[in-house]
């Protein structure tokens, strides 16, 4: 054997030894890299499942709260009749298409339990969600009933501030649901309960080989939101090995209860085999070249290995600092290039998910804002409705009382007037009869005011197109002398081209005169009165404002109630604002008030424009 051959064989031996060692190093490095990548992906996918479950829970809670606020449902829960509850729940179950529908009384005893539209005798009173609802909170959980898993939510049923029962609705977790999660996470999922697979994206044989497994949920190890949530672990079967994480769905109901969870798995051995299969061909070519050009190939290999690793490390550091747009160069088609490409795909996927989460948060904030505005409108409408009902009831009672006492008062008035006419002026005691006659006259005027209050609420005058600007100017002329006599200056503003409103001119004069009279009473020492009429948003707004004493905040909700007054010297029976409110309500309008003690009040009459 020549020296050249010895050198060649020596070089080949060294090269082959290095190639063999390099092959095992690459194989080990690739496995660790893939396992680390899978671990990161599983943590990301755990977060995706967490967001998905939170969104599902929030949607269920909003839907259940809307159902629990139904007057019919609250009345049935308060009644506690199982037959009535069954009929109502069947109707609501068809409307909402929910598979689980449970209504309990205030002690948590089930009035009716429906599973897929049929009665069910499962005892659910001890479930944590129902117990939370009995304590006034809303919560979600996953129930497994007859081999099927259902995502449920329980909320309290409250009338005013009293708890009258709880409502629970639920929807089945189907194969389509975990298929959606499969597409979102790019991993296979198994829905596991009590050591058995309920649903799976794997075939039955592969799913069976993974179970049973022991996942230590207790103690908070894999509880949602815990410090170790999303922790990965290995699962080994006869043909494959997997990297997995578990997402707990159920809440512990007791020490003997069975857990329900998602098992998110990735095939580690299969991925390594696929990665190494693409490496072997390239590695054989490199080995031949390595034998011919040992020095050059050695330099190329060292450079081709160290440079991509350095770039991956730099990319990892940049992405860990939040720079998700950092681009890692992808050169060639070897395993490092594949790893860099997958790393970039993971970074892009992570950026996209974070963007989606941000958009979802903005959407939720916007929906909460819309919900708050709607609730404010509902509260305002409820207050107006209650005020109208009180006004109608008070008017009817007032009319009945005034009608019963009006005739006797007229008779007494006539008798006293006759006695006064017959007695000479110098008759002793005639002045007492005159005082009695004046008081009876005062009673007569009060009964007339009470009857006017009822007539204003119940009798409709003729409505016709009316220019409220002319009405305001007429009121200004009528009250000008009286206002000057009390040291009150008045300023009137009427928009040009004020639209017509369909109204009774006389009734609207009565409303404005009442408002001006109240403003005059609020300024006993004089002041400034403004009357402003303008067109805004398709409505005519007439504001009567003063700088008088103002109305205390605690009285603002009662000023339109009949017989309510805060005046020191009673000149009527406290019906002025009630009559005005009734008149404006007849005109399909509203009265708004703004007031502060010591700074004055402003009453605004809002009337719809004539079409």
């Amino acid at each position: 054997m020549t020296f050249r051959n010895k050198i060649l064989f020596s070089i080949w031996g060294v090269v082959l030894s290095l190639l063999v060692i390099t092959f095992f190093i690459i194989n080990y490095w690739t496995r660790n890299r893939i396992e680390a990548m899978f671990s990161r992906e599983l943590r990301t996918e755990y977060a995706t499942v967490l967001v998905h479950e939170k969104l599902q829970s929030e949607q269920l809670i909003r839907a259940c709260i809307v159902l629990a606020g139904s007057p019919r449902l609250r009345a049935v829960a308060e009644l506690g009749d199982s037959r009535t509850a069954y009929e109502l729940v069947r109707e609501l179950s068809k409307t909402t298409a929910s598979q689980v529908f449970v209504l309990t009384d205030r002690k948590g005893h089930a009035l009716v339990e429906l599973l897929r539209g049929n009665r069910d005798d499962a005892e659910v009173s001890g479930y944590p969600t129902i117990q939370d609802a009995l304590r006034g909170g809303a919560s979600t959980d996953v129930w497994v009933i007859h081999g099927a898993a259902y995502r449920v939510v329980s909320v309290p049923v409250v009338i005013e501030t009293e708890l009258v029962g709880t409502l629970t609705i639920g929807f089945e977790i189907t194969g389509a649901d975990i298929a959606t999660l499969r597409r979102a996470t790019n991993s296979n999922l198994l829905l596991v309960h009590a050591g058995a697979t309920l649903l799976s994206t794997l075939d039955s044989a592969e799913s069976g080989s993974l179970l049973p497994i022991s996942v230590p949920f207790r103690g908070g190890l894999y509880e949602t939101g815990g410090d170790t949530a999303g922790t990965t672990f290995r699962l080994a079967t006869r043909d494959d090995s997997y990297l997995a994480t578990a997402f707990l769905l159920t809440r512990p109901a007791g020490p003997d209860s069975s857990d329900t969870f998602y098992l998110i798995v990735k095939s580690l051995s299969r991925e390594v085999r696929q990665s190494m299969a693409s490496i072997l061909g390239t590695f054989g070519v490199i080995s031949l070249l390595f034998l011919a050009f040992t020095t050059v190939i050695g330099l190329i290999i060292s450079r081709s290995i160290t440079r991509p690793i350095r770039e991956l490390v730099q990319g990892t550091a940049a992405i860990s600092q939040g720079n998700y747009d950092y681009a890692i160069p992808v050169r060639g088609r070897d395993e490092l290039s594949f790893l860099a490409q997958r790393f970039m795909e993971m970074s892009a996927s992570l950026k996209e998910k974070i963007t989606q989460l941000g958009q979802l948060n903005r959407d939720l904030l916007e929906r909460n804002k819309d919900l708050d505005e709607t609730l404010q409108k509902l509260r305002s409408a409820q207050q107006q409705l209650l005020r109208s009902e009180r006004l109608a009831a008070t008017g009817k009672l007032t009319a009945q009382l005034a009608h019963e006492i009006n005739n006797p008062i007229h008779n007494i008035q006539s008798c006293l007037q006759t006695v006064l006419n017959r007695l000479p002026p110098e008759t002793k005691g005639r002045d007492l009869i005159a005082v009695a006659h004046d008081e009876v006259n005062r009673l007569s005027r009060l009964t007339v005011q009470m009857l006017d209050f009822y007539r204003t609420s119940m009798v409709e005058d003729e409505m016709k197109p009316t220019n409220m600007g002319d009405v305001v100017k007429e009121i200004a002329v009528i009250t000008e002398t009286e206002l000057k006599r009390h040291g009150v200056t008045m300023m009137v503003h009427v928009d040009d081209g004020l639209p017509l409103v369909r109204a009774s001119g006389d009734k609207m004069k009565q409303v404005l005169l009442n408002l001006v009279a109240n403003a005059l009473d609020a300024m006993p020492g004089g002041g400034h009165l403004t009357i402003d009429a303008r067109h805004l948003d398709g409505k005519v707004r007439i504001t009567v404002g003063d700088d008088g004493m103002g109305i205390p905040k605690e009285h603002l909700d009662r000023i339109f109630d009949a017989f309510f007054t805060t005046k020191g010297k009673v000149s009527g029976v406290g019906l002025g604002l009630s009559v005005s409110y009734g008149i404006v309500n007849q005109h399909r309008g509203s009265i708004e008030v703004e007031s502060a003690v010591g700074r004055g009040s402003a009453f605004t009459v809002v009337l719809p424009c004539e079409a």
Side-chain angles (χ1 to χ4, degrees):
M1 180 180 295
T2 65
F3 181 74
R4 183 177 58 183
N5 291 334
K6 290 181 180 180
I7 294 176
L8 183 59
F9 283 128
S10 299
I11 294 175
W12 284 357
V14 173
V15 170
L16 288 175
S17 299
L18 291 175
L19 288 175
V20 171
I21 295 172
T22 302
F23 174 81
F24 283 105
I25 291 175
I26 291 175
N27 182 49
Y28 176 77
W29 176 83
T30 302
R31 176 178 290 273
N32 287 341
R33 282 291 180 175
I34 291 175
E35 184 172 349
M37 179 184 65
F38 278 1
S39 180
R40 290 191 295 269
E41 289 181 355
L42 285 173
R43 285 184 176 272
T44 302
E45 291 158 6
Y46 180 95
T48 302
V49 175
L50 175 62
V51 172
H52 177 271
E53 291 301 314
K54 285 185 176 180
L55 291 177
Q56 293 289 332
S57 298
E58 290 171 358
Q59 292 175 358
L60 275 178
I61 289 174
R62 287 197 295 269
C64 195
I65 289 175
V66 172
L67 285 177
S70 168
R72 290 180 60 196
L73 184 69
R74 291 188 293 180
V76 169
E78 184 179 27
L79 180 62
D81 181 60
S82 298
R83 180 177 299 178
T84 306
Y86 174 73
E87 296 298 330
L88 176 61
V89 167
R90 274 183 60 86
E91 178 184 343
L92 293 177
S93 178
K94 293 178 181 179
T95 303
T96 59
S98 61
Q99 287 83 27
V100 177
F101 215 114
V102 179
L103 181 64
T104 73
D105 59 15
R106 68 189 68 212
K107 294 183 179 180
H109 299 148
L111 295 176
V112 61
E113 300 175 23
L114 288 186
L115 181 63
R116 299 182 178 275
N118 300 316
R119 285 184 181 270
D120 192 76
D121 56 357
E123 180 57 41
V124 299
S125 60
Y127 281 31
T129 56
I130 293 182
Q131 294 301 314
D132 287 347
L134 290 174
R135 290 189 289 270
S139 62
T140 59
D141 202 353
V142 172
W143 295 355
V144 178
I145 305 175
H146 304 321
Y150 301 88
R151 184 180 288 108
V152 300
V153 58
S154 299
V155 300
V157 180
V158 179
I159 297 180
E160 293 182 354
T161 58
E162 181 183 0
L163 176 72
V164 298
T166 68
L167 174 65
T168 302
I169 63 173
F171 297 86
E172 183 180 1
I173 301 176
T174 63
D177 295 328
I178 65 168
T180 300
L181 285 176
R182 167 73 175 84
R183 292 190 294 271
T185 60
N186 197 28
S187 295
N188 288 301
L189 289 95
L190 293 83
L191 181 59
V192 182
H193 173 74
T197 302
L198 301 180
L199 296 170
S200 175
T201 58
L202 297 171
D203 57 54
S204 58
E206 195 170 4
S207 299
S209 65
L210 286 173
L211 296 176
I213 61 172
S214 177
V215 181
F217 284 109
R218 300 306 185 200
L221 181 56
Y222 293 112
E223 290 181 1
T224 303
D227 293 337
T228 55
T231 300
T232 59
F233 51 91
R234 289 191 180 188
L235 295 175
T237 65
R238 184 177 60 183
D239 301 324
D240 205 347
S241 62
Y242 296 84
L243 197 62
T245 187
F247 184 91
L248 183 62
L249 293 172
T250 54
R251 299 170 55 189
D256 299 329
S257 61
S258 298
D259 296 314
T260 304
F261 56 93
Y262 281 130
L263 188 63
I264 310 172
V265 299
K266 286 181 176 292
S267 175
L268 186 62
S269 299
R270 187 180 307 165
E271 186 68 24
V272 171
R273 286 195 300 268
Q274 292 176 354
S275 299
M276 293 304 298
S278 62
I279 294 174
L280 289 177
T282 305
F283 193 78
V285 174
I286 294 176
S287 298
L288 294 176
L289 294 176
F290 215 41
L291 292 173
F293 308 99
T294 55
T295 304
V296 176
I297 296 302
L299 294 175
I300 294 175
I301 290 178
S302 62
R303 188 171 182 270
S304 66
I305 292 176
T306 57
R307 184 176 178 182
I309 292 176
R310 184 173 62 253
E311 291 173 346
L312 282 173
V313 171
Q314 292 174 353
T316 303
I319 293 174
S320 65
Q321 295 175 0
N323 183 11
Y324 300 105
D325 294 324
Y326 185 87
I328 300 176
V330 179
R331 301 181 180 88
R333 302 180 61 183
D334 57 6
E335 65 278 6
L336 291 177
S337 300
F338 173 76
L339 183 60
Q341 183 178 358
R342 292 299 301 272
F343 190 84
M344 290 300 299
E345 291 174 357
M346 183 195 68
S347 175
S349 176
L350 181 61
K351 179 182 178 182
E352 180 181 358
K353 288 180 172 59
I354 292 176
T355 303
Q356 291 175 354
L357 288 176
Q359 183 62 40
L360 289 174
N361 288 333
R362 290 191 292 271
D363 292 343
L364 286 175
L365 291 175
E366 189 65 26
R367 291 177 183 175
N368 288 336
K369 181 180 178 181
D370 294 340
L371 181 59
D372 290 339
E373 293 176 356
T374 303
L375 289 176
Q376 291 296 334
K377 293 179 181 178
L378 286 176
R379 291 193 187 99
S380 177
Q382 184 182 24
Q383 291 176 356
Q384 292 184 2
L385 179 60
L386 291 174
R387 189 176 295 157
S388 298
E389 290 177 351
R390 290 200 302 268
L391 182 63
T394 306
K396 185 175 181 180
L397 177 62
T398 301
Q400 292 173 350
L401 291 174
H403 180 72
E404 292 297 330
I405 67 176
N406 197 34
N407 289 336
I409 288 176
H410 284 172
N411 292 334
I412 296 171
Q413 186 180 17
S414 298
C415 292
L416 291 175
Q417 184 63 47
T418 302
V419 172
L420 286 174
N421 291 337
R422 291 178 181 179
L423 291 177
E426 66 278 3
T427 303
K428 185 178 180 180
R430 188 181 187 278
D431 53 341
L432 296 177
I433 298 176
V435 172
H437 181 263
D438 292 339
E439 291 301 316
V440 171
N441 286 339
R442 181 171 175 269
L443 285 175
S444 178
R445 289 194 300 271
L446 291 179
T447 58
V448 170
Q449 291 182 27
M450 295 166 70
L451 285 172
D452 285 342
F453 172 68
Y454 176 69
R455 295 190 185 99
T456 300
S457 302
M458 302 302 296
V459 180
E460 292 187 5
D461 284 2
E462 179 183 357
M463 300 287 189
K464 60 183 179 180
T466 303
N467 189 328
M468 290 305 299
D470 296 339
V471 175
V472 169
K473 294 175 182 178
E474 185 175 349
I475 293 298
V477 173
I478 293 173
T479 59
E480 182 177 8
T481 302
E482 183 70 11
L483 293 174
K484 287 182 178 180
R485 190 168 65 84
H486 288 81
V488 176
T489 59
M490 178 174 56
M491 183 173 64
V492 179
H493 170 77
V494 178
D495 278 354
D496 295 333
L498 199 65
L500 299 179
V501 299
R502 191 165 191 80
S504 168
D506 292 337
K507 288 299 180 91
M508 294 314 301
K509 289 178 187 177
Q510 181 181 354
V511 171
L512 294 180
L513 284 174
N514 280 339
L515 296 180
V516 172
N518 286 342
L520 184 60
D521 290 338
M523 298 182 291
H528 300 279
L529 175 71
T530 60
I531 304 178
D532 182 273
R534 62 183 61 211
H535 174 229
L536 184 64
D537 297 333
K539 296 180 180 180
V540 173
R541 301 175 65 90
I542 305 166
T543 302
V544 179
D546 63 75
D547 57 356
M549 296 180 291
I551 303 171
K553 184 177 180 181
E554 61 271 17
H555 292 164
L556 286 177
D557 291 336
R558 302 180 58 198
I559 58 175
F560 293 106
D561 292 349
F563 306 110
F564 178 80
T565 179
T566 58
K567 299 177 182 178
K569 180 180 179 181
V570 179
S571 59
V573 290
L575 294 175
L577 286 178
S578 297
V579 170
S580 300
Y581 182 87
I583 292 173
V584 174
N585 194 43
Q586 279 185 325
H587 288 70
R588 297 179 293 111
S590 62
I591 298 183
E592 302 170 356
V593 58
E594 295 180 1
S595 183
V597 176
R599 293 192 296 176
S601 306
F603 288 80
T604 302
V605 177
V606 183
L607 299 173
C609 296
E610 175 76 0

